[in-house]
Amino acid sequence: MKWFTIAGVKEEVRKIQWPSSKETRRNTVIAISFILFFVAYFILTEFVLVWALRLLGIGA
């Protein structure tokens, strides 16, 4: 467990390859796009289910 020392931790931190700002922006846009897609999907699904249940006479 050589890495479990202060020197080992510092060495491991130096090995990290951080993403560039361009990659970070791209990944952020992708994540927000997925979130917005699923928000729209679940809202649409809820409206369709409510409509179908009202058509069947279930619900207000």
Side-chain angles (χ1 to χ4, degrees):
M1 293 198 348
K2 177 186 172 192
W3 65 269
F4 202 65
T5 62
I6 297 295
V9 170
K10 286 181 181 178
E11 182 181 335
E12 290 298 320
V13 168
R14 277 191 290 260
K15 291 179 183 179
I16 296 172
Q17 289 192 346
W18 299 101
S20 67
S21 62
K22 183 178 179 180
E23 289 174 318
T24 303
R25 276 192 302 269
R26 181 177 171 270
N27 291 338
T28 301
V29 168
I30 290 171
I32 291 172
S33 298
F34 270 98
I35 291 167
L36 292 175
F37 171 78
F38 283 108
V39 165
Y41 171 77
F42 287 119
I43 288 173
L44 180 64
T45 301
E46 183 174 353
F47 280 119
V48 168
L49 288 174
V50 168
W51 173 79
L53 290 174
R54 285 185 180 165
L55 191 64
L56 294 171
I58 303 171

